[in-house]
Amino acid sequence: MLNLRGISRAVVIGGGTAGWFAALTLRRMFSSQVEIRVIESPDIGIVGVGEGGLLNLVDALRRNGIDLDEFVRETGAAFKLGFSYEGWRTGAEDDRYYHLFGRPGLPETDWVERGFHPLFSGMVHEGIELHRYIPGFAEIASNATQQEAAAMLRHGPVSGLSASFHFDSHKLADYLRRVAVSRGVVHQQARVEELVCDEQRLARSLRLDNGESIDLDLLIDASGLARLGIGKKLGVRWRSFSEHLLLDRAVPFHMPHPQPNPSLVTRAIAMPAGWMWQIPLVERVGAGYVFSSAHTDETQVIDEIHRRIGPKVEPMRTLRFEPGHFEQVWVGNIMAIGLASGFVEPLEATSIGQMLEQLRNFERIVTASNGVVSGYLIEGFNEANARCWSGIRDFLRMHYDCPRRDTAFWRDVAALPLPPGYAELKQCFQQRTPRLIDVENYAMHGWQGIFHVINWLFVAAPLGVVPPEAAAFELASLPAVSRRRVATRVSELRKSSVPG
């Protein structure tokens, strides 16, 4: 049992996006008599090359009482409506597919029969790209301005799109810090020399580099790749995904906008030994080449960046990581979030998405327990966190289940073993289209999966993981009136002016 009633101080180690979101969450959870303190090392910087959120970023901002217009103004945020995958199938210049943030309100998303989406199955069967059903795709294709995108999104379901944001990591952390401090959070710059735990492995104090000792009752570890709490102090076992995902290095950099306006999607551009992200901010693009160190090195990667983007690009320090997560991220009165709890790779913005889901469930459990949390609930939290990471691993592995084979990396990544969960799903997808029942078990014990069935469809269909024949089997199971409805809608989409 963990008793958080009557605590006097909760400490967050580390700032950044994760640390300041944690501080804001704790400030709401506990009374004003409880001190919330963020201890941030001046030696550890933020990789400020742009980040993108998922839809739960908007939910988290609202939950923390942050005005979205102010957020955009203070952080230089730009709309993010999904992802563009370029060169992942053939490597040709026109090889592109989209994973967009579709929203309810259109026939394709709202009509479910016999457990699946008939209109999506009709599109897959007829070889129609799924993004064509979204009216708002026209703004993406035409490189609409931020003002035009805002006007489109105000129409709500008519656009067919939901929005998250691209943002500057430095500006976001600075903004969240100012909001948190204005709400009474204590900000202290110091380096943590030691985390002191008692015989029950409960965190009791922090010893800082200035000799100060800080007593505490609850610790949130947002120390990034330093992983001071769960990893370094408690030695919790790491669960690696490197058997299924090859990428383990990234070279970040800045670049100018390649179009007149910031793109409304994150670009993921296939490269010889990995892929390049391009995250459009208002002023510039935050970019990086994430690669497999078994297939290239930093010198070759920088040469490729210069050839593709231009010789004036100045690469930043190479980031090293192992894809995976800690098996337990909440132990006693210590919880790790963000990079301190796990990381897979930048694809699909899973890091910030998972961090926000961790915080949402931590708050939900502590609040519903009135501060007295059973060990069983903590065990369930860790089980759900691990299951959510498994869903992320399987969803990302599907992206590499693609036909490209022109370099050693793309041949080797295709030959990697499939995770058992995804292998089972792929077998099913050869016979039918994805449905809710396939992916809902990635979220358990009150968690909300960060990828849903339509997300899976947007990636599985263009990669051929769901073949047209599988969709045909689905459609054949429908009554005649439903099949006619599908045929009518497919005919409308073929005639639609929405760009392909």
Side-chain angles (χ1 to χ4, degrees), residues 291 296-305:
F291 63 96
T296 190
D297 57 30
E298 296 172 30
T299 301
Q300 292 176 324
V301 162
I302 292 171
D303 286 344
E304 288 181 41
I305 293 171

Side-chain angles (χ1 to χ4, degrees), residues 463-489:
L463 293 183
V465 174
V466 180
E469 297 78 16
F473 286 127
E474 294 274 64
L475 296 171
S477 71
L478 294 172
V481 64
S482 296
R483 293 199 301 273
R484 287 194 295 271
R485 181 181 171 188
V486 170
T488 299
R489 180 59 177 146

Side-chain angles (χ1 to χ4, degrees), residues 7 73 148 207 211 213 223-224 236 293 369 395 413 419 450 486:
I7 69 171
R73 184 173 62 252
E148 290 168 336
R207 186 170 60 82
S213 180
S223 62
V236 172
S293 62
S369 301
F395 185 61
V413 78
I450 59 177
V486 170

Side-chain angles (χ1 to χ4, degrees), residues 403-425:
R404 185 163 180 172
R405 299 289 188 276
D406 59 314
T407 68
F409 167 78
W410 290 103
R411 289 190 293 271
D412 289 349
V413 78
L416 288 176
L418 301 179
Y422 172 60
E424 285 287 334
L425 287 179

